[in-house]
Amino acid sequence: MKTNKWVIILSVLFTQSCSFIHFMGTKGVADKSETDVNDYLKDNGFLFYDFSFLLPKENIDSLSFINHTLDLWKYEKEVKQSTIQIRVYDSIGRLINGYAQCYGEMNKVNILSEEKFKYFKQFPNNYSLIFFNELNIWGIPVSQQSLIKEQSSRKRYTFVIYYNIWSNYYSKVMFRNLRKYLNKYGMRGNSLIIFINTDNTTLN
C-alpha cells in the first residue's frame, strides 16, 4: 500500500512540477566554463548568436526581483524563477513576449510559431521589463553594456535566452524553435541574439 502511495506522489511531481525537467533527458548538474559552453553551442549547431555570457552565480537571485523577473505568478508566490527562458524585446527595450520552461512544453506553447509571435493569455509575463535593466545582472563591463544597447536599438527584436546544459532537452527545444523562427521569417538580420548560460547558478 505504501509503495502505491509513493508511486502516485512521484507521478504527480514528475508530470506537474517544473523542478523535474524532463527527468530522463537531463544531464548531471555541474559548473561550466566558457569553453564548455562554447563547445556545447558549437556541437549542437547553436551558433546563431551575437553575444554569449555566463550568468554570475551571485546574480541568480536577481531573476526574482521585480525589475528582472519574467514570471509574475512565481514572483507573487515568492517562488524562484525558472532558469530556462526566452525574452523578446523591441527596439526601444520593451518586453513584447516571453516564455519560461514552467509555462509548459514549448512545442505545444511556442511563442515563436508566428512571425509577430504567438501570445498565450495564461502566461503571467511581466510586461514592465526593460531590456537595459537586464544588462546589469550579466556581470559585463559598462563599455560592453553600451555596445549592446546601441546594437539592440538598431534591431527589430532582441532575444535573450536563459538556458543551461544540464536541462538537455528543454534548452535544446528553445534553441531549435528560435533557429526555426529566424530561418522561416528571415529575421536573423533584424534580430540581436543573446545567450545567457545558467549552469553555474545554484538554482535549478
Side-chain angles (χ1 to χ4, degrees):
M1 190 69 177
K2 288 184 178 180
T3 300
N4 290 337
K5 178 181 178 181
W6 279 109
V7 168
I8 293 172
I9 292 173
L10 289 173
S11 296
V12 171
L13 287 173
F14 275 94
T15 56
Q16 296 185 3
S17 174
C18 65
S19 297
F20 293 91
I21 304 174
H22 205 273
F23 180 74
M24 296 306 292
T26 57
K27 300 176 180 290
V29 180
D31 283 359
K32 303 296 181 183
S33 65
E34 287 189 15
T35 299
D36 293 330
V37 169
N38 291 338
D39 287 346
Y40 167 81
L41 295 173
K42 181 179 179 181
D43 291 345
N44 287 280
F46 302 141
L47 297 178
F48 47 92
Y49 60 88
D50 297 287
F51 297 95
S52 174
F53 304 115
L54 277 65
L55 184 67
K57 188 185 293 285
E58 62 272 16
N59 289 348
I60 183 58
D61 289 339
S62 297
L63 290 178
S64 296
F65 297 165
I66 189 59
N67 59 333
H68 298 304
T69 194
L70 176 66
D71 185 338
L72 287 176
W73 185 89
K74 283 196 167 189
Y75 175 80
E76 291 168 0
K77 299 295 182 181
E78 298 184 347
V79 177
K80 289 187 177 181
Q81 298 285 309
S82 169
T83 53
I84 304 174
Q85 301 182 7
I86 294 178
R87 302 178 180 205
V88 188
Y89 296 93
D90 64 15
S91 61
I92 61 175
R94 298 174 302 190
L95 185 81
I96 57 175
N97 210 334
Y99 162 84
Q101 180 271 323
C102 294
Y103 291 175
E105 166 61 54
M106 189 178 184
N107 286 327
K108 296 180 180 178
V109 285
N110 183 9
I111 64 172
L112 305 177
S113 62
E114 299 176 3
E115 183 176 359
K116 294 186 177 180
F117 311 110
K118 189 168 184 177
Y119 290 83
F120 296 87
K121 292 181 179 179
Q122 69 269 32
F123 286 5
N125 286 332
N126 179 10
Y127 287 104
S128 296
L129 286 180
I130 302 298
F131 171 63
F132 304 142
N133 291 337
E134 200 157 345
L135 298 168
N136 297 327
I137 67 172
W138 295 347
I140 59 177
V142 172
S143 59
Q144 192 166 31
Q145 291 186 34
S146 298
L147 173 65
I148 293 173
K149 287 179 183 178
E150 193 275 330
Q151 291 189 14
S152 176
S153 68
R154 291 190 282 107
K155 300 293 184 177
R156 185 174 181 182
Y157 301 122
T158 292
F159 294 86
V160 179
I161 313 298
Y162 288 91
Y163 75 99
N164 43 58
I165 296 171
W166 76 265
S167 65
N168 198 18
Y169 172 83
Y170 274 93
S171 288
K172 286 181 178 178
V173 165
M174 286 201 311
F175 284 128
R176 289 166 183 162
N177 279 307
L178 176 57
R179 180 171 57 197
K180 182 177 179 180
Y181 171 85
L182 296 172
N183 292 337
K184 182 176 181 179
Y185 299 110
M187 290 300 299
R188 182 63 188 94
N190 272 327
S191 302
L192 186 71
I193 313 295
I194 303 172
F195 292 168
I196 309 294
N197 179 271
T198 59
D199 277 290
N200 294 349
T201 62
T202 56
L203 173 63
N204 293 311

